[in-house]
Amino acid sequence: MQSDVDAAGKPARQGVIRAPQSFFAGLALIALGLFAIWAISNLPQGTLGAMGPAMLPRWLAIAVALCGAALVVVGLLKEGEPLERWHLRGPVLVAIGIICFAVTIRWFGLAVAGPLALFIGGFGSDETRPKELLIFAILMTAFCVVLFRYLLNQPMPILIIPGTSIYI
Amino acid sequence: MKKLFVLTAAALLAGAAGAQAQAWPSRPITMIVPFAAGGPTDVVARIVGEHMSRTLGQQIVVENVTGAGGTTGITRAKQATPDGYTIAMGHMGTHGAAPALYPNLRYDPAKDFEPIGVAAGTPILIVTKKDFPATSLKEFLDHLKTSGPKLNEANAGVGSVSHTTCTLLQSLTGTKFTRVPYRGTGPALNDLVAGQVDFGCDQIVNLVPQIQAGTIKAIAIATKERSPSLPNVPTTKEGGLPEYEVSAWNAVFAPKDTPKEVTAKLVDALDKSLSDENTRKRLLELGGIIPEGADRGPQALQKLVESEVARWTPVLKAAGVVGQ
Amino acid sequence: MSEIISNLGLGFTVALSLQNLALCFAGCLVGTLVGVLPGVGPIATIAILLPITFGLDPVGALIMLAGIYYGAQYGGSTTAILVNIPGEATSVVTVLDGHQMARQGRAGIALGIAAIGSFFAGTVATVLIAALGVPLTKLALVFGPAEYFSLMVMGLVFAVVLARGSILKAVTMIFIGILLSTIGTDLETGQERMTFGFPPLADGLDFAVLAMGMFGIAEILRNLEHSETREVVKARIGRLLPGLAEMKQSVLPILRGTAIGSTLGILPGNGAVLGPFASYTVEKKVAKDGSRFGRGAIEGVAGPEAANNAGAQTSFIPLLTLGIPPNAVMALMVGAMTIHGIVPGPQVMTKNPNLFWGMIASMWIGNLMLLIINLPLVGLWVKLLQVPYRLMFPSILIFCCIGIYSINSLPSDVVFIAIFGVIGYTFIKFGFEPAPLLLGFVLGKLMEENLRRALIISRGDLMTFLDRPISAALLAVAVLLLIIALLPTIRKGRDEVFVE
């Protein structure tokens, strides 16, 4: 729809925000900086000669917020990259897979946590083949059990069934 | 088909229940060491654990769970199932000073554990840099009184043995000196050798080679008798400050409600390891003090824990030292 | 001179005994294999394998442990190149160009040059230790907190130079990295900073967790969106080992890296961590076309890897001559020595010459073995890269989870790598690079501690950083470097290049 083209051959962006990536990055940084300032607010800063625990974090947070502001300004003034598309499948499934591992490893053991993480996380790719993944998950977990528990002697629970005393 | 399934399940469950009735220990035991691998407590744990493994017939596996001055690992031990397969090596800091240092401490050293026994203690030494203008404890204390604030003391940070023991020195002598924290005894020792700081109070294990080589000076050792590894270093008693008697004791604990048969076996295994010639040799080489007779065993340990908590709490509170 | 030769001779007789040779080999092999596992860095590897050495005599045990150590270092570099996961602070730089080379199908070349560079650096470092071990320790003692602070400031300036794209974004990442390093318990007062009362945070964030999340997991997330391009990359494998042209390109970087790494490795307090970063910065600035860096420049692997290995070897010096461990790995070695009945100290060299010189000789032998073990392995690793990504990335995932969990047995650590993975992915989406953040994290902690320590000792006198000559010199170099780094940007105007 827009036929104007800028020097780089890219369509000139209409609107106030010339470089959305910088702009929103900058906003996020300002938020981060403010959050950190709030998080450290309960501690004493001390003086320059006798620095307290909050001195460095506070000034760093301010620096981060300032950098964020600079990026916002850049985003308004210069041409730059647009916001990249976000893919949700990968991050969400991988994150859930990892969290499942964390939640089950101590209470159910590697034999449960492993396949869970492998199977759920494995779905993060567009090309997953469920049956293949399931078999792979079981085989890989077996390999890890042998490697970490028996070869390397790591104190990691393999299989715990609560209620019974099965604890391998 | 269904009947077969039910029978198999029942058999498995019965087998599992039966497994419980098997004599302890039927699988490796985890000993939680709340400090980094290679440090004094870890070394003592491994030396003692090795012999205990032989007596018990099952491997004792050391698991290092570090953090928050050792309290993370001990909290983990408290929460462990009291079936005898998790024990812990605590020490003077985790079971003596911790209640005073950490207001939000999530365990009670005297109530949440079954004491097994003291393993080995490492005496504390007062050491100074090479060219510190004092050779005896008396001269050192005089220096503290006159130029206290000008002197720099190296320690391994709030919650560490070196910090806690020098706090005691501070309160006993009523002096004030500048405390310089380091991340660990390695860097602290390095700066002491380099002469960037003036003195420190630390466990003997790290210090013997340096003292013998003359890179640092030992002023006094905080025990009743001189140590065989450093026969020329006078005790604090000889030097005129007998109240400064500290040793970083290390002891084995099991979670509360661990069955009596299990703790009895652990007590026995520990006792045997402390009487074993080879184990003793290695512990003594480190400069460790091995408990004998009445100092061994659960009752002695329980008394020790209670007395240590009582001793350190007022000292640390008065010094205003607080971790979180 | 003749004394050194006779000492080395003694060392080689000890190291070349059949038993010690076998132990050295076993250590290198096992160390490499375990170190390759994503999520298991050198410290974790040594801690895991330490019990194996208990039945051995002290010299043998230490030779094996040292072998495990370099093996783990090299295994960590392998992981950095192949899957973008730095196992230790020193591997962060290898990731930058090494992994890019792997994505271009040049993984074999990257691994090969890393092995060769490391071997050369290890040889030189061994000679250095033999000849100059004792005098070099005096250097270590001259560095006080003020000097360390200035060194760290200089290191942070390296991080700015390291940046591939926008300087503003790189500086921001550095600040965030330092900010993250302040989370935890304050060393001086014992008060908790930004932990929100959450116990696992009481000791601050773990480097391994941060690195694994921001590099490993984030990289996986990024790859998951470009499924088509990954197949194309894998098809072009090309030569397995570096050719003559690549070797020629790498000669000078390796020489420079060795010099830099050897010097920095001696400094206690983890000076060795700066070696690879310094080398990368030097190479980037010295190269005719600096923009190649970050896109697969072989100098960016050769130099830092040499610096890495040189630093790893020379960091034994404070341990063997002073008995004071300069970093966490050496502290483990101290523990190992103590368990075996040798308490390290200044007199180990004279009271235990077999041990001292035997270890030094076996260091060189270990380096040689690593070369022999790893060059054939390159073929194996490259084959491994051809596994379809849909199966490879879950494997990397599970190794990361298990690896991280095995460090402290804390499920919260595992959750953190997920969180940092998503955060890292977010950063990449916004055009930020994680490498400066990690460097800021590592150096920030050291910098703040030494800053406050120096100020305590000087009783609040800020001039202490300029009064002390070494400190002043380092700060001057830092300022100079900063100007050199910013000059092109200032001259060309703010023409920022957003990469990827």
Side-chain angles (χ1 to χ4, degrees), chain A residues 8-87:
Chain A
K10 288 197 278 235
R13 215 148 283 118
Q14 306 299 74
V16 178
I17 304 177
R18 301 253 185 96
Q21 208 181 52
S22 297
F23 182 78
F24 288 107
L27 284 183
L29 286 176
I30 296 179
L32 177 64
L34 290 174
F35 175 72
I37 295 177
W38 168 79
I40 202 77
S41 56
N42 58 327
L43 288 175
Q45 183 169 281
T47 62
L48 208 53
M51 296 175 71
M55 172 76 93
L56 195 68
R58 181 167 296 146
W59 286 95
L60 281 170
I62 294 176
V64 168
L66 284 176
C67 287
L71 271 177
V72 167
V73 168
V74 164
L76 291 171
L77 292 181
K78 281 199 80 179
E79 297 294 334
E81 305 289 310
L83 275 185
E84 287 195 28
R85 255 200 68 212
W86 282 66
H87 295 75

Side-chain angles (χ1 to χ4, degrees), chain C residues 295-381:
Chain C
R295 292 180 181 68
I298 198 168
E299 297 92 328
V301 177
E305 276 298 303
N308 192 359
N309 206 34
Q313 312 266 301
T314 50
S315 62
F316 270 95
I317 292 184
L319 175 67
L320 290 175
T321 54
L322 263 188
I324 299 180
N327 57 42
V329 176
M330 291 300 141
L332 260 178
M333 292 286 188
V334 169
M337 285 168 103
T338 318
I339 294 179
H340 286 287
I342 300 177
V343 191
Q347 299 176 317
V348 161
M349 203 161 60
T350 38
K351 280 208 256 173
N352 246 314
N354 273 12
L355 176 74
F356 186 79
W357 295 104
M359 268 211 78
I360 293 183
S362 92
M363 273 187 207
W364 186 80
I365 297 180
N367 273 292
L368 186 61
M369 287 200 183
L370 273 178
L371 197 64
I372 298 176
I373 293 176
N374 280 295
L375 284 180
L377 277 182
V378 166
L380 177 66
W381 302 132

Side-chain angles (χ1 to χ4, degrees), chain B residues 44-301:
Chain B
V44 170
R46 287 183 199 266
I47 294 179
V48 165
E50 200 189 314
H51 191 270
M52 284 174 73
S53 304
R54 276 182 254 156
T55 316
L56 294 170
Q58 282 287 344
Q59 180 80 329
I60 292 196
V61 177
V62 168
E63 192 179 323
N64 302 86
V65 183
T66 59
T71 55
T72 309
I74 299 296
T75 310
R76 174 84 67 90
K78 169 198 165 185
Q79 296 164 340
T81 328
D83 55 6
Y85 289 103
T86 311
I87 54 180
M89 178 74 81
H91 84 347
M92 176 203 99
T94 59
H95 282 77
L101 287 172
Y102 304 101
N104 302 326
L105 194 63
R106 291 185 301 166
Y107 61 85
D108 182 329
K111 296 207 180 66
D112 286 335
F113 299 93
E114 301 285 350
I116 303 295
V118 175
T122 46
I124 300 294
L125 283 151
I126 305 178
V127 285
T128 66
K129 66 180 181 189
K130 210 167 31 187
D131 21 289
F132 192 81
T135 36
S136 73
L137 184 59
K138 192 168 171 318
E139 289 174 25
F140 176 75
L141 292 174
D142 286 338
H143 258 280
L144 269 190
K145 289 202 175 66
T146 50
S147 31
K150 290 211 204 83
L151 294 177
N152 298 316
E153 170 243 346
N155 59 67
V158 172
S160 67
V161 167
S162 43
H163 186 273
T164 313
T165 48
C166 260
T167 310
L168 180 62
L169 183 67
Q170 197 178 38
S171 80
L172 279 179
T173 55
T175 54
K176 260 198 142 4
F177 38 80
T178 309
R179 317 198 66 175
V180 186
Y182 288 83
R183 199 165 282 276
T185 40
L189 188 55
N190 188 62
D191 272 11
L192 190 62
V193 170
Q196 312 267 4
V197 288
D198 297 297
F199 73 97
C201 321
D202 199 4
Q203 299 177 61
I204 193 175
V205 182
N206 313 314
L207 302 174
V208 171
Q210 305 295 337
I211 298 173
Q212 285 173 341
T215 53
I216 56 178
K217 243 195 310 207
I219 296 293
I221 186 169
T223 46
K224 285 202 193 72
E225 285 159 11
R226 297 195 178 194
S227 167
S229 30
L230 289 170
N232 296 329
V233 179
T235 65
T236 46
K237 196 161 145 200
E238 295 169 32
L241 194 65
E243 310 87 29
Y244 192 61
E245 192 190 310
V246 201
S247 100
W249 49 268
N250 298 292
V252 182
F253 296 89
K256 186 134 203 70
D257 299 330
T258 305
K260 292 265 179 307
E261 320 83 60
V262 171
T263 54
K265 285 199 190 144
L266 283 168
V267 171
D268 174 64
L270 180 63
D271 185 66
K272 285 208 172 68
S273 78
L274 292 178
S275 306
D276 168 62
E277 201 186 302
N278 202 18
T279 310
R280 292 177 68 91
K281 180 161 157 284
R282 289 158 86 191
L283 287 173
L284 286 170
E285 267 168 3
L286 295 176
I289 303 179
I290 305 176
E292 306 295 351
D295 292 327
R296 294 193 193 178
Q299 291 87 3
L301 178 57

Side-chain angles (χ1 to χ4, degrees), chain C residues 92-93 95-96 159 162-164 170 173-174 177 207 214-215 277 432-442:
Chain C
V92 171
V93 180
V95 160
L96 293 177
L162 226 57
R164 221 171 10 176
M173 284 288 109
I174 296 176
F207 171 84
M214 293 230 153
F215 276 90
F277 295 109
F432 292 102
E433 305 165 56
L437 187 148
L438 235 67
L439 183 49
F441 179 78
V442 170

